[in-house]
Amino acid sequence: MLELLLQNLVNGILMGCVYALVALGLALQFGVMDIINFAHGEFVMIAMYLVFWISLYLAIPGSLTSLIVAPIYFVFGLVVYKLVIDRIVGTYPLAQIAATIGLMVLLRNLALAAWRAQPRGLQYEVLRGSVTLGPVVVPISRLTAALVSVGTMLALHWFLTHTRLGLALRATSDDMQAASLLGINVRRMFALAFGLGCAIIGIAAAFIMTFQQVNPESGLTWGLISWIIVVMAGLGGVSGVLLSGLILGMVEALEITFWDPRASLAVMYSLFILILWVKPRGLFGRR
Amino acid sequence: MRALEVQNLNVAYGKVQVLWDVSFHVEEGESVCIIGPNGAGKTTTLHTVSGILTPLSGRITFYGEDVTGLPAWELAERGMSLVPEGRRIFPNLTVLENLMAASYMRRCRDSFEENLEMVFDLFPRLKERRDQVARTLSGGEAQMLAIARAMITNPRLLMLDEPSMGLAPILVSKVFRSIQRLRERGVTILLVEQHVPVALRVSDRAYVLENGRIVLSGTSEEVASNKKVREHYLGI
Ligand SMILES: Nc1ncnc2c1ncn2[C@@H]1O[C@H](COP(=O)(O)OP(=O)(O)O)[C@@H](O)[C@H]1O
Ligand SMILES: [Mg+2]
């Protein structure tokens, strides 16, 4: 029992890092432009398909496709921003919800029509095997995914705290009107935040595919996980997102150990409601 | 040269019009104030001039160029700077980061170090607190930061919206002393205030705005000696 718990906790910590990375894109977009993209999970799902197809046709490992999918997804983010998000920032919340839920349904149905419900997994991946640490077996794929996640988060944190553009993004996030009065083109900042958020999804998707399959419904889980983490983290910056991801990963590990793996989404959702009850501004939020 | 010329400005929020035919101007190097009671439309005027709001009609000319309807960030590029009502400093950035964010524009980058020294000289308090997160500043310090932030942008017109709001009397005079110092440095100033006596003291000319209309204008002495102004605003 103890060994199982230890094994699940290690898995939970590794998955928690990946959850945090997926949520980071959403957190960045929400932080800068106060908009919740309900299609976030579907963006992850489409990116996972992209990883699958690129890996298949170019015959390269799925993990390596991150170098291609991230820039493609950055541009994808800019396009979605221009076509949809630019129209709805700063308007009624209802219009924002309707527009992004519409996008969610659209992408999910397109995926169903194009690829059917059959799950797809990578044919070719170099991140195989596992390392054994005492009683715990750590799959190389998950370990790499976790390390890349933490690395990407550190890189974003560095960008936000050490560059002129990052500072302008944080200023916009704090007060967009005051930022615009200092000559910061806030619409450009919104587009940048949206593109960066999507590029992060692209990186995450490539490494998720090294240990998971994708189907048109995959977006639901990733969306839910991301919303929960963003609510947990509040507007607490990159570290808040990472901590929230780790908490979620470990809660899932405990749930799997002591109850039923099939209930893990239900337990996560309950956690989400609990946090809304006790700390509606998030565990790590500053405002 | 005329820094700012505002002609026949009409502004509405949705269907409710709040500014009617508002006209005024500011010469380069001049210090001008707009005074008037709460709800008169002072903030609306500054928001329209600085591009946050778009007027129904009217014309805004900045150093000879028609800038009506340009977005705020573009007007900032051209040298307009507004210290907004309620300060609006970036709460989660440090004092220094607030000032660095103000040097985002290309034309402000080279002068940043020099301007930083200038504002630290003007407000030594900010220098002491440079690494402190801005949300922990007191009201007076926050107002100094808001003014300093605007000064980093090398403004060709500095607009201040009720810098005395919410400050203890001792801090009000401190803030106005710094405005006076800026004026002496030749900064072109458009000040909006409810705190009329001090506002008139740091201005060359004044306009009185009531119910969305300019009802009186003149040199600060003329306005200060007006019978109605004395009764309503100066309490004499
Ligand atoms: N965002 C807004 N929406 C609708 N009405 C507004 C808004 N802001 C201000 N007003 C109204 O416009 C009028 C002028 O307000 P304002 O410009 O803030 O006055 P002042 O700055 O002189 O106190 C007031 O009647 C106020 O209620
Ligand atoms: Mg006002």
Side-chain angles (χ1 to χ4, degrees):
Chain A
M1 187 67 190
L2 188 67
E3 282 177 18
L4 181 66
L5 177 63
L6 211 58
Q7 174 70 57
N8 284 345
L9 275 179
V10 169
N11 278 349
I13 288 170
L14 297 181
M15 277 312 280
C17 295
V18 178
Y19 291 165
L21 184 65
V22 171
L24 184 65
L26 187 69
L28 179 67
Q29 295 164 351
F30 175 60
V32 173
M33 59 189 117
D34 272 330
I35 216 171
I36 278 280
N37 175 18
F38 282 95
H40 185 75
E42 276 57 42
F43 283 20
V44 179
M45 179 266 294
I46 299 281
M48 287 166 78
Y49 273 109
L50 214 55
V51 169
F52 171 76
W53 290 112
I54 291 176
S55 163
L56 191 68
Y57 280 112
L58 298 185
I60 55 173
S63 44
L64 211 59
T65 66
S66 57
L67 298 177
I68 305 170
V69 177
I72 290 179
Y73 243 52
F74 181 76
V75 176
F76 169 75
L78 296 185
V79 172
V80 172
Y81 176 79
K82 267 281 162 225
L83 292 182
V84 184
I85 310 297
D86 191 55
R87 319 278 137 148
I88 55 174
V89 276
T91 59
Y92 307 102
L94 204 58
Q96 303 175 347
I97 293 169
T100 63
I101 286 191
L103 197 59
M104 168 179 100
V105 174
L106 176 85
L107 292 177
R108 191 178 297 180
N109 282 298
L110 282 180
L112 259 174
W115 301 308
R116 313 287 164 202
Q118 171 208 3
R120 314 262 189 177
L122 290 177
Q123 308 288 318
Y124 171 42
E125 180 49 60
V126 287
L127 301 173
R128 290 181 181 284
S130 52
V131 287
T132 310
L133 296 166
V136 179
V137 180
V138 183
I140 301 283
S141 55
R142 286 177 190 247
L143 182 63
T144 312
L147 291 175
V148 168
S149 297
V150 173
T152 308
M153 281 182 259
L154 288 175
L156 183 77
H157 182 72
W158 182 88
F159 171 74
L160 290 175
T161 50
H162 285 82
T163 67
R164 187 183 296 280
L165 220 47
L167 181 60
L169 272 178
R170 285 192 294 142
T172 305
S173 157
D174 261 11
D175 189 331
M176 60 175 92
Q177 186 172 304
S180 72
L181 288 170
L182 298 177
I184 296 172
N185 181 347
V186 296
R187 301 245 162 210
R188 193 174 288 169
M189 291 303 132
F190 293 166
L192 176 67
F194 210 78
L196 278 179
C198 287
I200 290 170
I201 292 176
I203 297 171
F207 287 89
I208 293 168
M209 282 299 281
T210 63
F211 59 85
Q212 229 176 50
Q213 296 190 322
V214 58
N215 69 66
E217 300 293 328
S218 304
L220 186 67
T221 315
W222 288 108
L224 185 62
I225 287 171
S226 305
W227 300 326
I228 294 173
I229 291 177
V230 168
V231 167
M232 256 203 225
L235 292 164
V238 176
S239 53
V241 171
L242 178 58
L243 284 174
S244 302
L246 289 172
I247 291 175
L248 199 62
M250 286 194 276
V251 166
E252 188 185 24
L254 293 177
E255 191 279 324
I256 289 172
T257 314
F258 296 110
W259 201 20
D260 186 335
R262 285 168 297 184
S264 74
L265 268 189
V267 169
M268 285 186 194
Y269 181 72
S270 311
L271 180 69
F272 175 61
I273 298 297
L274 186 71
I275 288 165
L276 282 180
W277 266 82
V278 295
K279 292 210 90 175
R281 273 149 196 267
L283 303 180
F284 311 104
R286 293 165 305 199
R287 61 176 192 209
Chain B
M1 177 148 205
R2 194 154 281 194
L4 179 71
E5 168 106 60
V6 171
Q7 291 161 292
N8 307 99
L9 213 55
N10 287 285
V11 181
Y13 293 102
K15 286 198 176 90
V16 186
Q17 184 161 350
V18 297
L19 290 188
W20 308 81
D21 262 333
V22 167
S23 300
F24 61 93
H25 68 270
V26 183
E27 299 289 340
E28 188 173 8
E30 205 181 19
S31 174
V32 171
C33 72
I34 300 178
I35 55 178
N38 204 359
K42 304 182 298 296
T43 297
T44 306
T45 305
L46 290 192
H47 277 186
T48 311
V49 169
S50 61
I52 292 168
L53 294 172
T54 326
L56 293 174
S57 65
R59 207 173 129 98
I60 300 162
T61 315
F62 189 56
Y63 286 90
E65 282 179 275
D66 185 353
V67 296
T68 321
L70 288 185
W73 66 269
E74 238 175 83
L75 290 166
E77 285 272 9
R78 288 165 188 247
M80 257 192 209
S81 194
L82 170 65
V83 180
E85 186 176 278
R87 340 209 197 288
R88 307 290 288 264
I89 54 174
F90 302 118
N92 297 308
L93 306 190
T94 65
V95 168
L96 186 61
E97 283 174 334
N98 264 272
L99 298 171
M100 282 162 66
S103 73
Y104 173 80
M105 289 184 283
R106 194 153 278 137
R107 65 172 183 78
C108 307
R109 291 180 193 172
D110 292 338
S111 52
F112 177 65
E113 294 295 329
E114 195 184 318
N115 283 338
L116 191 64
E117 220 167 282
M118 183 260 292
V119 298
F120 280 162
D121 187 45
L122 203 58
F123 306 113
R125 189 70 175 205
L126 293 181
K127 190 172 187 177
E128 289 165 28
R129 319 229 146 187
R130 54 191 283 163
D131 295 318
Q132 195 170 318
V133 178
R135 95 182 91 89
T136 62
L137 295 181
S138 71
E141 291 163 349
Q143 187 62 61
M144 288 168 195
L145 178 57
I147 296 174
R149 195 174 62 176
M151 288 311 297
I152 295 282
T153 67
N154 296 319
R156 295 162 82 201
L157 171 65
L158 178 67
M159 297 182 277
L160 303 120
D161 194 348
E162 299 210 35
S164 73
M165 190 189 264
L167 297 186
I170 188 167
L171 287 170
V172 172
S173 47
K174 208 167 169 183
V175 165
F176 273 89
R177 265 204 303 281
S178 59
I179 294 173
Q180 180 64 27
R181 297 245 295 277
L182 292 174
R183 186 186 173 200
E184 283 157 11
R185 282 165 177 268
V187 179
T188 309
I189 293 173
L190 175 60
L191 170 70
V192 151
E193 259 300 335
Q194 282 192 58
H195 223 283
V196 176
V198 266
L200 290 175
R201 224 172 297 143
V202 298
S203 307
D204 302 307
R205 287 189 303 112
Y207 294 85
V208 180
L209 186 70
E210 282 177 3
N211 297 318
R213 290 186 169 83
I214 300 278
V215 295
L216 185 70
S217 67
T219 65
S220 296
E221 292 80 40
E222 284 166 11
V223 170
S225 58
N226 179 281
K227 189 164 167 291
K228 254 186 73 191
V229 171
R230 289 168 69 89
E231 278 171 14
H232 288 126
Y233 298 103
L234 301 175
I236 307 175

Coordinates of all heavy atoms in Angstrom, one line a residue, chain B residues 12-14 16-19 36-47 53 85 161-162 165 192 194 209 212, ligand 1:
Chain B
A12 N -20.6 62.0 -24.9 CA -21.7 61.3 -24.2 C -21.2 59.9 -23.8 O -20.3 59.3 -24.3 CB -22.8 61.2 -25.2
Y13 N -21.9 59.4 -22.7 CA -21.8 58.0 -22.3 C -23.0 57.4 -22.8 O -24.1 57.7 -22.2 CB -21.6 57.9 -20.8 CG -20.3 58.4 -20.2 CD1 -20.3 59.6 -19.6 CD2 -19.1 57.7 -20.3 CE1 -19.1 60.1 -19.0 CE2 -18.0 58.1 -19.8 CZ -17.9 59.4 -19.2 OH -16.8 59.8 -18.7
G14 N -23.0 56.6 -23.8 CA -24.2 56.0 -24.4 C -25.1 57.2 -24.9 O -24.6 58.0 -25.7
V16 N -26.4 59.5 -22.8 CA -26.3 60.6 -21.9 C -25.2 61.5 -22.2 O -24.0 61.2 -22.0 CB -26.2 60.1 -20.4 CG1 -26.3 61.3 -19.5 CG2 -27.3 59.1 -20.1
Q17 N -25.5 62.7 -22.7 CA -24.4 63.7 -23.0 C -23.9 64.4 -21.8 O -24.8 64.8 -20.9 CB -24.9 64.7 -24.1 CG -23.8 65.6 -24.5 CD -24.1 66.3 -25.8 OE1 -25.0 66.0 -26.5 NE2 -23.2 67.3 -26.1
V18 N -22.6 64.4 -21.5 CA -22.1 65.1 -20.3 C -21.2 66.3 -20.6 O -21.0 67.1 -19.7 CB -21.4 64.1 -19.4 CG1 -22.3 63.0 -18.9 CG2 -20.2 63.5 -20.1
L19 N -20.7 66.4 -21.8 CA -20.0 67.7 -22.2 C -20.6 68.4 -23.3 O -21.1 67.7 -24.3 CB -18.5 67.3 -22.6 CG -17.5 66.8 -21.5 CD1 -16.1 66.7 -22.1 CD2 -17.6 67.7 -20.3
G36 N -14.1 72.9 -11.0 CA -15.5 72.6 -11.1 C -15.9 71.6 -10.1 O -15.1 70.8 -9.6
P37 N -17.2 71.6 -9.8 CA -17.7 70.6 -8.7 C -17.7 69.2 -9.2 O -17.5 68.9 -10.4 CB -19.1 71.1 -8.5 CG -19.6 71.7 -9.7 CD -18.3 72.4 -10.3
N38 N -17.9 68.3 -8.3 CA -17.9 66.9 -8.5 C -19.0 66.6 -9.6 O -20.1 67.1 -9.5 CB -18.3 66.1 -7.2 CG -17.9 64.7 -7.3 OD1 -17.3 64.2 -8.2 ND2 -18.1 64.0 -6.2
G39 N -18.7 65.8 -10.6 CA -19.7 65.4 -11.6 C -19.8 66.5 -12.7 O -20.7 66.3 -13.6
A40 N -19.0 67.5 -12.7 CA -19.1 68.5 -13.8 C -18.6 68.0 -15.1 O -19.1 68.5 -16.2 CB -18.3 69.7 -13.4
G41 N -17.8 67.1 -15.2 CA -17.3 66.5 -16.4 C -15.8 66.7 -16.6 O -15.2 66.6 -17.7
K42 N -15.0 67.0 -15.5 CA -13.6 67.2 -15.6 C -12.8 66.0 -16.1 O -12.0 66.0 -17.0 CB -13.1 67.7 -14.3 CG -13.8 68.9 -13.7 CD -13.2 69.4 -12.4 CE -13.3 68.4 -11.3 NZ -14.7 68.1 -10.9
T43 N -13.1 64.9 -15.4 CA -12.5 63.6 -15.8 C -12.8 63.2 -17.2 O -12.0 62.8 -18.0 CB -12.8 62.5 -14.8 OG1 -12.4 62.8 -13.5 CG2 -12.2 61.2 -15.3
T44 N -14.1 63.4 -17.6 CA -14.5 63.1 -19.0 C -13.7 63.9 -20.0 O -13.3 63.4 -21.0 CB -16.0 63.4 -19.1 OG1 -16.7 62.7 -18.1 CG2 -16.6 63.0 -20.5
T45 N -13.5 65.2 -19.6 CA -12.7 66.1 -20.5 C -11.3 65.5 -20.7 O -10.9 65.4 -21.9 CB -12.7 67.5 -19.9 OG1 -14.0 68.0 -19.7 CG2 -11.9 68.4 -20.9
L46 N -10.7 65.2 -19.6 CA -9.3 64.7 -19.7 C -9.2 63.3 -20.4 O -8.3 63.1 -21.2 CB -8.6 64.6 -18.4 CG -8.3 65.9 -17.7 CD1 -7.4 65.7 -16.4 CD2 -7.6 66.9 -18.6
H47 N -10.2 62.5 -20.2 CA -10.3 61.2 -20.9 C -10.5 61.3 -22.4 O -9.9 60.6 -23.1 CB -11.4 60.3 -20.3 CG -11.0 59.6 -19.0 ND1 -11.8 58.7 -18.4 CD2 -9.8 59.7 -18.3 CE1 -11.1 58.2 -17.3 NE2 -10.0 58.8 -17.2
L53 N -11.7 58.2 -24.3 CA -13.0 58.3 -24.9 C -13.0 59.0 -26.2 O -12.1 59.8 -26.5 CB -13.9 59.2 -23.9 CG -14.2 58.6 -22.5 CD1 -14.9 59.7 -21.7 CD2 -15.1 57.4 -22.7
E85 N -7.1 60.1 -12.5 CA -7.8 60.2 -11.2 C -7.6 58.9 -10.5 O -7.7 57.8 -11.1 CB -9.3 60.4 -11.5 CG -10.1 60.7 -10.3 CD -11.5 61.0 -10.7 OE1 -11.8 62.2 -11.0 OE2 -12.4 60.1 -10.6
D161 N -5.3 64.7 -13.1 CA -6.7 64.7 -12.7 C -6.8 64.5 -11.2 O -6.6 63.5 -10.6 CB -7.4 63.5 -13.4 CG -8.9 63.6 -13.3 OD1 -9.4 64.4 -12.6 OD2 -9.6 62.8 -14.1
E162 N -7.2 65.6 -10.6 CA -7.3 65.7 -9.1 C -6.2 65.0 -8.3 O -6.5 64.0 -7.6 CB -8.7 65.1 -8.7 CG -9.8 65.8 -9.4 CD -11.1 65.8 -8.5 OE1 -11.0 65.8 -7.3 OE2 -12.2 65.8 -9.1
M165 N -6.8 64.3 -4.5 CA -7.9 63.5 -4.1 C -7.5 62.4 -3.0 O -6.5 61.7 -3.2 CB -8.6 62.7 -5.3 CG -9.9 62.0 -4.9 SD -10.4 61.0 -6.3 CE -11.5 62.1 -7.1
V192 N -6.6 69.5 -13.3 CA -8.0 69.4 -13.0 C -8.2 69.3 -11.5 O -7.5 68.4 -10.9 CB -8.7 68.3 -13.8 CG1 -9.9 67.7 -13.0 CG2 -9.1 68.7 -15.2
Q194 N -10.7 69.9 -7.7 CA -11.8 70.5 -6.9 C -11.3 71.4 -5.8 O -12.0 72.2 -5.2 CB -12.6 69.3 -6.3 CG -13.5 68.6 -7.2 CD -14.4 67.7 -6.5 OE1 -15.2 68.1 -5.6 NE2 -14.4 66.4 -6.8
L209 N -15.7 74.7 -15.1 CA -16.6 73.8 -15.8 C -17.7 73.5 -14.8 O -17.5 73.0 -13.7 CB -15.8 72.5 -16.1 CG -16.5 71.5 -17.0 CD1 -16.7 72.0 -18.4 CD2 -15.7 70.2 -17.0
G212 N -21.0 70.3 -17.4 CA -20.6 70.0 -18.7 C -20.3 71.2 -19.6 O -20.1 71.0 -20.8
Ligands
LIG1 N1 -18.4 55.6 -17.3 C1 -19.5 56.5 -17.2 N2 -20.7 56.1 -17.6 C2 -21.8 56.9 -17.5 N3 -21.8 58.1 -17.0 C3 -20.6 58.6 -16.5 C4 -19.4 57.8 -16.6 N4 -18.4 58.4 -16.0 C5 -18.9 59.6 -15.6 N5 -20.2 59.7 -15.9 C6 -21.1 60.8 -15.7 O1 -20.6 62.0 -16.4 C7 -20.7 63.1 -15.6 C8 -19.3 63.8 -15.5 O2 -18.5 62.9 -14.7 P1 -16.9 63.2 -14.5 O3 -16.3 63.5 -15.8 O4 -16.3 62.0 -13.8 O5 -17.0 64.4 -13.6 P2 -15.8 65.0 -12.6 O6 -14.5 64.4 -13.0 O7 -15.9 66.5 -12.9 O8 -16.2 64.7 -11.2 C9 -21.3 62.7 -14.3 O9 -22.7 63.0 -14.3 C10 -21.1 61.2 -14.2 O10 -22.1 60.6 -13.5

